[in-house]
Amino acid sequence: MKMTPVCPFVKASRPDDASSRKPAENSSKHQVEHDGSKAKKESTDSGTISPKCPFGYDSQSFKLGPLSCVICQALLFDTSKCVPCSHVYCKACISRFKDCPLCGADIEKIEADTDLQNTVDRFIEGHARIKRPLVTSEKEEDVAGENKNVIYEDVSMERGAFLVQQAMRAFRAQNVESAKSRLSLCAEDIRGQIERLGNTSELCSQLGAVLGMLGDCCRAMGDASAAVAYFQESVDFLMKLPMDDLEITHTLSVSLNKIGDLKYYDGDLKAARSFYFRSLNVRRDAIKHRSNVPSQILDVAVSLAKVADVDRNIGSENVAVDGFQEAIKLLESLSLKPEEAGLEQRRHSVLEFLNSQLAEKQPDSTTT
């Protein structure tokens, strides 16, 4: 089970579109300002500076700091200490070992380290926030001891990107409780921003993606009903928005497909087909306006394959074959550039699946 490996807080590629990765927007505002005098002058305009996180955490590079678990490489969660060596890890991570991964000592028992966990929690709560006086004039700057307004500014990255980064690291290492905790904080933050700023496309796309990832966490934990609830919340939220943003339509279609997957594996094929078909319609509408976007065409082909697969399983063989053939035609007509290797690999994989499905056609089947 894979979590969507895309931070919804930067304009990056989709999980299936590695070739179109874009740099994070507005990265320049997160650069360190080493020149103190320059920062002082700039404070008359913004009242803030954007120094790096003191522990070196950021969304662009790997960092294993003093508050991280060396196993999952994310910030500690449910911090636990090995006895007798006293090395600390996330409880879920160290519980898989009989001896310490750092020193090799036999683990006699594992104890909770609440003091260190409290430190980690305070760090997360305050990460990317510093207090800076808001100076409005040089004259005011010279008034010693005068109370000044204080505003908060991101340090090395937005808090949401930081939380998602930590969640994805933990999820990849199967520390799902940690991932779920970070994503829950992230969703809470975004909801707060939406209350203040309104339903902007960026914030809505972010919340829809985070809700989807929370659904992934619940699915990985075996809680299918909670997973469906998160995916459905993502769908309900995104359905209220204009479908003119590719990120929103993609997130919506993915959440619909994931509900369909859960219904499919639960044996409710009619419900699965309903959600797959809704996702297909969302993706078809998207390519009507952007027919030259290869990733969108691939999305449609995948949805066609999902719907056709269900059609075959419910006995509608001819309908299923038509769906497989339509998807194949789409993919065969798709022209990709040499630099789009990631998309070409995905196209080949989907084509291979579709052709294998056609090869399994039952000649005596009838349409129901």
Side-chain angles (χ1 to χ4, degrees):
M1 194 71 64
K2 293 184 178 179
M3 171 180 272
T4 306
V6 171
C7 173
F9 300 83
V10 296
K11 294 296 182 182
S13 65
R14 297 195 181 95
D16 49 15
D17 188 3
S19 64
S20 61
R21 192 175 301 273
K22 301 176 184 177
E25 292 183 328
N26 301 324
S27 60
S28 60
K29 73 174 182 178
H30 301 309
Q31 296 301 311
V32 178
E33 182 56 76
H34 293 289
D35 189 337
S37 61
K38 183 177 180 181
K40 190 173 182 181
K41 291 178 181 178
E42 290 181 348
S43 68
T44 61
D45 298 322
S46 65
T48 65
I49 59 172
S50 299
K52 286 184 178 179
C53 167
F55 286 99
Y57 291 101
D58 60 51
S59 59
Q60 304 301 319
S61 60
F62 170 77
K63 175 69 178 181
L64 186 62
L67 304 181
S68 298
C69 171
V70 300
I71 298 175
C72 69
Q73 300 179 348
L75 287 173
L76 290 162
F77 178 79
D78 201 2
T79 306
S80 299
K81 178 171 57 178
C82 296
V83 177
C85 67
S86 296
H87 287 128
V88 292
Y89 308 90
C90 299
K91 184 177 180 179
C93 295
I94 193 58
S95 296
R96 307 167 196 158
F97 293 82
K98 294 183 179 180
D99 48 39
C100 176
L102 279 175
C103 67
D106 291 340
I107 299 175
E108 297 178 4
K109 63 178 179 177
I110 298 173
E111 297 178 344
D113 191 333
T114 55
D115 289 340
L116 181 54
Q117 186 59 57
N118 288 337
T119 300
V120 174
D121 292 341
R122 288 195 300 272
F123 174 74
I124 292 173
E125 181 61 28
H127 187 266
R129 308 286 179 184
I130 61 169
K131 291 184 178 181
R132 293 288 299 173
L134 177 60
V135 181
T136 57
S137 69
E138 291 185 2
K139 182 177 181 181
E140 182 181 345
E141 196 173 277
D142 294 332
V143 179
E146 183 176 339
N147 291 330
K148 300 175 182 178
N149 294 328
V150 173
I151 66 175
Y152 291 86
E153 177 63 33
D154 290 338
V155 177
S156 60
M157 63 185 138
E158 295 179 4
R159 174 177 156 92
F162 170 71
L163 290 168
V164 170
Q165 177 204 54
Q166 297 300 313
M168 288 194 293
R169 286 185 185 176
F171 190 92
R172 285 193 293 266
Q174 300 179 8
N175 190 351
V176 185
E177 285 284 359
S178 175
K180 185 179 177 183
S181 174
R182 308 312 185 208
L183 291 169
S184 296
L185 283 175
C186 185
E188 182 181 339
D189 280 357
I190 303 171
R191 293 184 197 278
Q193 292 180 57
I194 289 176
E195 288 181 6
R196 293 191 301 272
L197 304 175
N199 291 335
T200 67
S201 294
E202 183 180 10
L203 289 175
C204 291
S205 178
Q206 289 173 5
L207 182 57
V210 170
L211 290 171
M213 285 189 277
L214 279 166
D216 286 333
C217 288
C218 292
R219 183 166 57 176
M221 296 165 68
D223 191 348
S225 60
V228 169
Y230 274 119
F231 293 138
Q232 187 64 61
E233 185 180 2
S234 173
V235 168
D236 293 342
F237 179 74
L238 294 173
M239 284 292 292
K240 300 175 183 178
L241 306 174
M243 293 292 105
D244 57 356
D245 184 283
L246 284 181
E247 294 302 320
I248 289 176
T249 56
H250 178 75
T251 303
L252 172 61
S253 65
V254 167
S255 291
L256 287 167
N257 273 340
K258 287 180 177 178
I259 298 175
D261 290 342
L262 288 166
K263 298 295 183 181
Y264 183 96
Y265 293 120
D266 195 40
D268 191 348
L269 296 182
K270 290 186 177 180
R273 190 187 191 282
S274 174
F275 284 104
Y276 287 152
F277 193 71
R278 287 174 63 186
S279 176
L280 173 59
N281 285 337
V282 169
R283 291 175 168 181
R284 275 178 165 160
D285 288 341
I287 64 171
K288 286 180 183 178
H289 305 289
R290 296 179 177 85
S291 58
N292 61 337
V293 181
S295 62
Q296 301 294 311
I297 297 173
L298 274 166
D299 282 348
V300 172
V302 169
S303 283
L304 283 166
K306 284 179 174 289
V307 173
D309 181 52
V310 177
D311 284 333
R312 165 168 286 171
N313 279 279
I314 62 178
S316 300
E317 181 63 27
N318 292 340
V319 177
V321 169
D322 289 344
F324 290 136
Q325 290 177 339
E326 183 182 352
I328 289 173
K329 288 179 182 178
L330 271 179
L331 295 179
E332 288 180 342
S333 65
L334 183 60
S335 298
L336 295 174
K337 300 177 182 177
E339 60 268 23
E340 295 176 316
L343 286 179
E344 176 57 38
Q345 183 179 4
R346 182 173 178 241
R347 183 176 78 116
H348 177 75
S349 175
V350 176
L351 269 174
E352 186 176 19
F353 169 79
L354 292 167
N355 286 318
S356 69
Q357 292 302 303
L358 284 181
E360 295 177 8
K361 177 181 177 181
Q362 303 295 322
D364 295 330
S365 296
T366 59
T367 302
T368 60

